[in-house]
């Protein structure tokens, strides 16, 4: 166990993950000049360990090795040891995960274990979890350490040569031709077809176990043809029935370890739940099926209840573990449930959620929908309304009982990019489901980020304990820009528009590859590392390039500033090569391509505040995909393109454009409906 009386250099950090290791016997450093200089001075290789607070196998390796005195002695004697929170330093994680894939020819993960040459920071070994003793077909961690130290001492020439080759490979990545070609509708069709090929028609999702939500892929399906929407429905239905969704508390876990969505890896990440919230809310509005609204509402209420700080920002994650075991907070024994519920409640609950069958997780039950409501009603002889009432009562009782358990750890740092994803999701859900509290939650979160993380015109990536730290990355700027444009559709604020324009300007000034197009992950004045990535592909989150390009297209339409559209076009041309090779791996960029090729109607409404509410509702009813901005008559400080769209003397006026084609302004709701119906 960690000795609370002893601390290492991580004790001064704010990251919950780093603080978990602050009392290890390992002489950990945070990444920074002190560690790098010590490694060069002592000529010891760097052992870099990257993880995050909600990571189950990070906890296992910490308990087995980093809390062990004998292992720590070897680490401290042979290496300079650096611990990194991948959520604070996604730049380092992105680079060294890429190196791991190049060296091992397989995917990475966490914990990521990397051994670096201290003189150039180029890795000569990468791995993930290593056990304390040999098992799982892997060597003991201490054995690995001894071999690495010996290799460093005995192969200096090889290190230099191999390091140069690796650097050249990293520099070559992201070079995607001359940017002469523009993605077209054929590329979109290829992406959708590739998703069809890997689609699991039985359970939804793509591929087999483990199965991830892949929200950028699902968003592409939302806006595709009928078959694509059916693929989306099958996936959302499967996830809503499965144990990846928390049927008592709301919200989704990171992924399912099986292909049926039944047993999750129990951590809950903010960045999954924001896009999933939006998808379920949009499907509820598009189909009228109340089951989607139930899931969206449960997810949003969980976020507000458990993941929003008193100051407004959204927290990052809930741990997979509690009381030393994975998922323990979420598991049930049959006798415990029987003791908490009435006989009628237990009867319908056990049938609905599978407690009448065998346990499905290490001798316990993890809840998932085992029978439809209709099947439960038929099996019990009860009416549908009574079944629904009994299930709601049972869930309430069990949720209250669960609240008395030891809760999973919460990573309470606020990450700008992840807040952008949740602000967007909460805003869309609030607008489509008629929930003012969801929209107010999004407002508070955006206000928090602006107030505490963007002082002096330089956005910071992470906030905790009163400190905003780390220069923001591409994703922070892109996701917040996207969220700000979405929230402007819910309530107009010229000040928020000006902030969105500021974010876009900073994207162009500090992140754009002005020569080749597209956006680097780090700013031009960022710390020099062994690579400056330009990420096209979707990973656990949508591609920052894809989100940035789509947001710039929308901002250009709203403000009339062609330089945003020009930057978007340069980015799409630069990404063409990567998209053509692996269309289905670039769905966020594909969503931007669709926006470029078939832009949704843009509706600018000018008039009195009360009258605009009716016009907004009518415009969205006529064209659900339209971008609708209701700008009050008394708004000041508007960009010239918006200021020129004046309100009428007798009431609201609507200005409708689609791409570069605009209809004549109208002060008639009937004419507005006709225009939008024809779009």
């Amino acid at each position: 166990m960690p000795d609370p009386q002893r601390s290492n250099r991580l004790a001064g950090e704010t990251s919950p993950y780093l603080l978990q290791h602050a009392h290890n016997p390992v002489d950990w450093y945070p990444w920074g000049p002190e560690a790098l200089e010590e490694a060069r001075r002592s000529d010891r290789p760097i052992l870099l360990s990257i993880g995050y607070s909600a990571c189950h196998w990070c906890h296992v390796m910490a308990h087995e090795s980093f809390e062990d005195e004998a292992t720590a002695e070897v680490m401290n004697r042979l290496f300079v040891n650096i611990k990194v929170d991948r959520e604070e330093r996604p730049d380092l994680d992105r680079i060294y995960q890429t190196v791991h894939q190049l060296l091992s020819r397989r995917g990475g993960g966490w914990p990521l274990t990397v051994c670096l040459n201290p003189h150039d920071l180029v890795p000569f070994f990468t791995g993930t979890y290593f056990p304390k003793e040999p098992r799982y077909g892997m060597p003991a961690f201490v054995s690995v350490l001894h071999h690495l130290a010996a290799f460093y001492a005995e192969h200096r020439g090889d290190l230099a040569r191999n390091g140069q080759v690796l650097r050249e490979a990293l520099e070559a990545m992201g070079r995607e031709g001359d940017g002469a070609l523009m993605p077209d509708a054929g590329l979109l069709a290829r992406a959708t077809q590739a998703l069809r090929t890997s689609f699991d028609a039985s359970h939804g999702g793509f591929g087999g176990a483990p199965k991830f939500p892949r929200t950028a892929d699902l968003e592409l399906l939302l806006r595709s043809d009928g078959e694509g929407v059916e693929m989306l429905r099958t996936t959302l239905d499967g996830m809503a029935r499965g144990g990846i969704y928390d049927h008592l508390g709301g919200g989704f876990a990171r992924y399912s370890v099986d292909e049926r969505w039944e047993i999750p890896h129990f951590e809950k990440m903010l960045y999954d739940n924001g896009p999933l919230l939006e998808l379920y809310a949009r499907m509820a509005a598009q189909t009228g099926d109340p089951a989607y609204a139930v899931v969206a509402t449960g997810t949003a209420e969980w976020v507000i209840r458990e993941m929003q700080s008193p100051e407004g920002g959204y927290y990052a994650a809930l741990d997979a573990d509690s009381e030393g075991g994975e998922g323990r907070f979420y598991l049930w024994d049959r006798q415990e449930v029987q003791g908490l519920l009435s006989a009628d409640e237990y009867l319908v609950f056990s049938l609905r959620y599978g407690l009448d069958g065998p346990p499905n997780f290490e001798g316990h039950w993890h809840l998932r929908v085992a029978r439809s409501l209709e099947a439960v009603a038929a099996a019990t002889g009860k009416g549908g309304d009574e079944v629904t009432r009994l299930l709601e009562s049972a869930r309430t009782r069990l949720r209250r009982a669960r609240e008395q358990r030891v809760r999973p750890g919460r990573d309470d740092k606020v990450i700008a990019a992840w807040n952008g994803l949740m602000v967007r999701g909460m805003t869309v859900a609030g607008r489509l489901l008629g929930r003012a509290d969801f929209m107010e939650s999004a407002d508070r979160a955006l206000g928090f980020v602006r107030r505490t993380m963007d002082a002096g015109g330089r956005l910071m990536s992470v906030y905790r304990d009163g400190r905003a730290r780390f220069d923001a990355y591409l994703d922070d700027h892109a996701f917040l820009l996207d969220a700000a444009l979405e929230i402007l559709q819910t309530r107009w604020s010229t000040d928020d528009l000006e902030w969105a324009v500021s974010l876009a300007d900073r994207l162009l000034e500090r992140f754009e590859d002005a020569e080749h197009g597209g956006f680097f992950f780090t700013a031009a004045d960022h710390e020099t590392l062994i690579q400056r990535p330009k990420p096209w592909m979707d990973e656990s989150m949508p591609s920052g390039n894809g989100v940035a390009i789509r947001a710039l297209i929308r901002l250009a339409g709203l403000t009339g500033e062609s330089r945003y559209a020009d930057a978007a076009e340069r980015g799409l041309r630069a990404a063409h090569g990567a998209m053509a090779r692996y269309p289905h791996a670039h769905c966020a960029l594909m969503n931007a391509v669709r926006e470029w090729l078939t832009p949704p109607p843009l509706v600018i409404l000018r008039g009195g505040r009360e009258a605009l509410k009716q016009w907004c509702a009518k415009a969205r009813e006529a064209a659900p995909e339209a971008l609708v901005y209701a700008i009050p008559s008394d708004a000041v400080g508007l960009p010239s393109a918006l200021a020129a769209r004046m309100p009428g003397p007798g009431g609201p006026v609507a200005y409708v454009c689609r791409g570069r084609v605009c209809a004549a302004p109208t002060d008639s709701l009937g004419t507005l409906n006709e225009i939008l119906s024809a779009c």
Side-chain angles (χ1 to χ4, degrees), residues 515-528:
E515 182 178 0
H516 301 105
F519 297 93
F520 293 108
F521 189 71
T522 54
D525 56 353
H526 191 76
E527 171 189 1
T528 301

Side-chain angles (χ1 to χ4, degrees), residues 18 94 196 369 422 522:
L18 298 188
R94 182 178 294 275
R196 289 191 186 99
V369 173
M422 183 53 71
T522 54

Side-chain angles (χ1 to χ4, degrees), residues 407-476:
R407 296 186 57 79
R410 181 172 61 195
D411 189 324
D412 60 355
K413 65 179 178 288
V414 175
I415 300 174
W418 300 12
N419 270 248
L421 291 172
M422 183 53 71
V423 167
R424 178 185 169 90
M426 197 72 78
T427 301
V428 172
R431 187 170 68 237
L432 295 180
L433 302 179
R435 290 289 298 261
D437 55 336
F438 296 174
M439 292 183 281
E440 190 273 337
S441 170
D443 254 338
R444 290 181 59 223
L446 191 67
F448 175 85
V449 171
R450 290 194 56 185
R451 185 172 64 252
T452 62
M453 302 177 70
D454 195 23
R458 195 172 188 91
L459 184 65
M460 295 288 110
S461 181
V462 178
Y463 177 94
R464 187 173 186 268
D465 284 347
R467 296 171 64 189
R469 305 183 64 196
F470 306 105
D471 284 350
Y473 307 98
L474 167 62
D475 289 359
D476 299 304

Side-chain angles (χ1 to χ4, degrees), residues 509-676:
E509 292 164 7
R510 303 180 61 229
F511 292 87
E512 190 185 14
D513 182 342
E515 182 178 0
H516 301 105
F519 297 93
F520 293 108
F521 189 71
T522 54
D525 56 353
H526 191 76
E527 171 189 1
T528 301
L529 301 171
I530 63 171
Q531 184 195 30
R532 191 182 179 198
K534 191 199 294 183
W536 302 121
M537 193 177 297
D538 302 315
E539 296 177 349
S540 56
M541 294 186 292
S543 157
N545 263 287
V547 174
I549 290 169
R550 185 182 65 177
L552 289 170
I553 295 169
R554 293 187 172 187
L555 185 62
L558 179 62
T559 63
E561 285 283 353
S562 61
R563 58 197 175 94
Y564 301 134
D566 292 343
E569 182 177 1
R570 288 193 295 271
L572 290 176
R573 289 184 182 278
H576 180 274
M579 297 167 73
R581 282 195 297 275
Y582 304 107
H584 60 294
H586 298 85
C587 285
L589 278 162
M590 293 294 177
N591 286 320
V593 171
R594 172 166 284 147
E595 192 96 3
W596 181 270
L597 296 176
T598 56
L602 171 66
V603 182
I604 307 296
L605 302 175
R606 298 297 312 274
R609 294 176 186 273
E610 287 304 313
L612 286 180
K613 294 178 183 178
Q614 180 188 12
W615 282 62
C616 262
K618 291 294 185 181
R620 292 190 172 115
E621 181 182 345
E625 291 301 311
L627 308 175
V628 182
Y629 298 92
I631 306 176
S633 302
D634 56 2
V636 296
L638 298 173
S640 58
L642 287 178
R645 292 166 174 173
M646 301 289 292
V653 176
Y655 300 82
V656 181
C657 297
R658 187 157 196 174
R660 294 176 173 83
V661 179
C662 296
T666 180
D667 59 2
S668 164
L669 268 176
T671 303
L672 173 61
N673 185 73
E674 292 173 3
I675 294 170
L676 291 174

